[in-house]
């Protein structure tokens, strides 16, 4: 079947905002973009993983609905939308516009009703509909062709609910959800339900009777006296709640399902907007071009040319350098080549052959080892790299300096790291790697590393890549790192961050480099003695706990601990979870205070 995804836009926007409430994303212009980023991430995840044939976002409108007229207190307990979230809603609509995702909203109707009506329309056309929401109201719509797609939080698996899923989650089938909520009410929407009846009692009632009408036609058959009285006293509230929670799926919607056929994004506008929002990790997705840049990239393969190059390099005041190596771990990496740049659009690559690399290679399958002996290259470049008066720049320069230090070169005069500068200028960015920064600042898509060495099980070493390919890649790295310095250094000054960068961040690079190179000294004997002491103390504590409980049990099991505390020892239940009495740290601390 064709698949239609209907997104509860308002609910997803709320969820997106609160996902980053403790650690909001603030771009360099001071704009909070948390809700927008999380919303777009969720949307792109759906598109990538589910490949919907039809897609639309449905939003609530500010106009009151028939439910507000029926019950003025409807949703009255909801807190006012935070201003920081309200400010992001236009941005979310902008993103939907450039992604060519239709937006549906109808004044006087909730998004729930509109989504329900559209889902029914899609079912009549033989389509499968996924309602993107975490709202339990929608469970009443679940059918063989309508399912709930709950995005969940980051790190949690997507929840897709069909009929069996609803039964497993709530305990009743979809056709009983309306009557279930009529009894329990809904605190999030301020639906009253029947006072005193919770989920457990509601399930017991609906196990005995098929519908709410049947319940009230047979009140005398309700087993528990207290439950019978609650139902009788709240009959009007129960039927009012049924009206409030029932989704109006028969309403007329001007939109047709065909209007929601998924379209390609407007890549140019999407790229521009995503760049403006500073979502650098998403930029590559919307790049339809590789901007060409004038460049003069050269490969140095002779000793005479290297000596000539070294004179030029050593006569300047500043340059950028970068290494090509065999490993991402600087303490294992061997040098394959060095690249340099000191002028925008100009870079040089020196392929270097080391004995360690050639010895480890399969010379029967490779003929790519051209270049100058690494020792000779470093002998010529070492005085320049160790010259404190020549300022040096790199992207994650700590890595390159560590690799060189293992080769006997102590790089001096490092004054700029573009990765660190990017973080200082805009710490809310998710990515500060060179590819992302080149795309963000120059609209330039660099050669991806995987294009040279592959990935996964088929990944090869950079030493196995032909020099011509490595040279272009390495020169790009040095060139665009140099270009970034030219862009980021003025920004540090503009944002009054240069002192922080020069006096805190860059000195810290050297400290971290020393720590990584030297490692951490451990007193193994002391740690061993501490471990034994802790084991002994733990054994003693376990023994005290078993004595107090009168039996041995698995202290790490919340269920067994709850049985001991609340059944055997009859301690007061302070908090409950879905699985029973809670034994979290707050509960245990509260119980401990009572026994001090």
């Amino acid at each position: 079947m064709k698949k239609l995804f209907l997104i509860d836009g308002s609910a997803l926007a709320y969820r997106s905002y609160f996902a980053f409430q403790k650690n909001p994303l603030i771009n360099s212009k001071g704009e909070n973009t948390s809700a927008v980023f999380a919303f777009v991430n969720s949307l792109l995840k759906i598109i990538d993983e589910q490949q919907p044939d039809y897609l639309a976002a449905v939003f609530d409108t500010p106009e009151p609905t028939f439910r507000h007229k029926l019950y003025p207190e409807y949703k009255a307990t909801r807190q006012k939308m935070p201003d920081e979230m309200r400010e992001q809603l236009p941005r979310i609509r902008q993103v939907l516009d450039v992604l060519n995702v239709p937006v549906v909203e109808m004044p006087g109707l909730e998004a729930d009703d509109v989504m329900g009506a559209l889902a029914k329309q899609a079912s009549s056309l033989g389509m499968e509909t996924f309602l993107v929401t975490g709202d339990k109201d929608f469970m009443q719509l679940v059918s063989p062709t309508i399912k709930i797609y709950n995005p969940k939080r980051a790190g949690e698996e997507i929840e897709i609910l069909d009929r069996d899923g609803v039964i497993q989650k709530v305990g009743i089938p979809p056709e009983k959800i309306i009557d279930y909520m009529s009894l329990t009410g809904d605190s999030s929407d301020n639906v009253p339900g029947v006072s005193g009846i919770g989920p457990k009692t509601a399930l017991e009632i609906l196990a005995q009777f098929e519908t709410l009408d049947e319940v009230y036609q047979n009140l005398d058959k309700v087993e528990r006296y207290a439950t019978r009285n609650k139902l009788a006293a709240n009959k009007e509230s129960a039927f009012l709640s049924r009206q409030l929670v029932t989704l109006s799926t028969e309403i007329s919607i001007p939109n047709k399902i065909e209007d929601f056929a998924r379209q390609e994004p407007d890549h140019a506008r999407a790229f521009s907007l995503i760049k403006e929002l500073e979502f650098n990790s998403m930029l590559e997705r919307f790049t339809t071009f590789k901007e060409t840049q004038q460049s003069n990239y050269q490969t140095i393969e002779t000793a005479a040319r290297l000596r000539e190059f070294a004179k030029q390099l050593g006569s300047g005041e500043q340059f950028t350098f970068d290494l090509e190596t065999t490993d991402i771990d600087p303490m294992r990496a061997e040098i394959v080549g060095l690249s340099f740049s000191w002028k925008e659009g100009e870079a040089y690559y020196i392929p270097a052959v080391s004995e360690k690399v050639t010895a480890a290679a399969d010379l029967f399958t490779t003929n790519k080892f051209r270049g100058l002996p690494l020792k000779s290259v470093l002998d010529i470049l070492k005085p320049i790299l160790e010259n404190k008066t020549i300022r040096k720049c790199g992207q994650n320069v700590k890595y390159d300096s560590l690799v060189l230090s293992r080769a006997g070169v102590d790089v001096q005069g490092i004054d700029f790291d573009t990765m660190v500068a990017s973080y200082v200028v805009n710490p809310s960015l998710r990515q500060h790697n060179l590819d992302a920064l080149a795309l963000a600042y120059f609209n330039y898509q660099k050669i991806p590393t995987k294009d040279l060495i592959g990935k996964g099980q088929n990944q090869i070493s950079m030493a196995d890549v032909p020099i011509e390919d490595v040279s272009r890649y390495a020169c790009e790295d040095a060139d665009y790192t140099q270009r970034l310095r030219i862009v980021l250094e003025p920004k540090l000054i503009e944002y009054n961050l240069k002192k922080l960068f020069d006096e805190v961040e860059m000195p810290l690079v050297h400290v971290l480099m020393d720590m990584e190179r030297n490692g951490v000294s451990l007193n193994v004997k002391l740690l061993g003695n501490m471990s034994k002491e802790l084991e002994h103390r733990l054994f003693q504590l376990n023994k005290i706990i078993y004595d107090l409980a009168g039996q041995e049990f698995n202290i790490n099991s919340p269920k067994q601990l709850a049985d001991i505390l609340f059944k055997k020892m009859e301690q007061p239940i302070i908090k409950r979870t879905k699985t029973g009495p809670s034994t979290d740290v707050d509960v245990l601390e509260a119980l401990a205070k009572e026994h001090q």
Side-chain angles (χ1 to χ4, degrees), residues 193-212:
V194 174
S195 180
I197 290 186
K200 184 178 178 181
T201 305
L203 289 176
E204 291 173 354
I205 294 170
L206 292 175
Q208 185 179 359
F209 304 101
E210 287 298 315
T211 65
L212 188 67

Side-chain angles (χ1 to χ4, degrees), residues 69 148 157 161 231 308 358 414 449 452 455 476 521 549:
K69 297 171 184 175
I148 290 174
E157 286 191 18
L161 292 179
L231 287 167
E308 180 186 328
T358 53
I414 296 171
T449 310
L452 273 68
K455 59 182 180 179
E476 268 193 356
S521 179

Side-chain angles (χ1 to χ4, degrees), residues 173-201:
E175 58 268 22
K176 286 194 172 187
I177 289 293
I178 292 175
D179 291 335
Y180 171 80
M181 295 183 67
S182 302
L183 294 170
T184 63
D186 184 357
S187 58
S188 64
D189 288 343
N190 200 33
V191 174
V194 174
S195 180
I197 290 186
K200 184 178 178 181
T201 305

Side-chain angles (χ1 to χ4, degrees), residues 394-537:
Q395 165 78 8
N396 188 18
V397 73
K398 173 170 64 69
Y399 171 88
D400 302 277
S401 299
L402 275 171
V403 176
L404 283 167
S405 73
R406 290 178 45 244
V409 178
D410 182 17
V411 183
Q412 298 291 318
I414 296 171
D415 76 322
F416 207 90
D417 186 319
T418 50
M419 184 178 74
V420 175
S422 171
Y423 179 81
V424 173
V425 167
N426 190 358
S428 68
L429 287 182
R430 288 303 186 194
Q431 291 187 324
H432 299 276
N433 63 70
L434 188 56
D435 287 10
L437 296 178
L439 199 56
Y441 285 99
F442 309 111
N443 291 354
Y444 185 78
Q445 191 171 4
K446 285 180 67 274
I447 300 169
T449 310
K450 68 179 185 329
D451 285 5
L452 273 68
I453 63 173
K455 59 182 180 179
Q457 292 182 342
N458 297 321
Q459 189 175 51
I460 62 175
S461 167
M462 193 65 81
D464 295 320
V465 180
I467 283 178
E468 291 76 13
D469 296 336
V470 180
S471 181
R472 177 73 194 179
Y473 172 85
C475 285
E476 268 193 356
D477 280 0
D479 178 18
Y480 277 87
T481 301
Q482 177 66 21
R483 292 176 192 246
L484 277 171
R485 175 172 190 155
I486 295 169
V487 170
L488 292 173
E489 200 160 17
K491 287 185 179 292
L492 291 169
I493 297 169
E494 178 187 350
Y495 301 153
N496 198 26
L497 295 168
K498 192 69 166 65
K499 185 176 181 181
L500 170 68
F501 179 80
D502 289 339
E503 298 183 11
V504 178
E505 297 293 347
M506 287 309 298
L508 186 58
V509 168
H510 296 280
V511 173
L512 293 173
M513 191 170 72
D514 288 341
M515 290 174 64
E516 288 188 36
R517 181 168 49 215
N518 297 330
V520 178
S521 179
L522 297 178
N523 187 330
V524 178
K525 184 177 179 181
L526 175 63
L527 289 174
N529 291 336
M530 286 176 62
S531 179
K532 290 177 182 177
E533 182 182 341
L534 289 171
E535 283 180 13
H536 178 71
R537 288 173 60 188

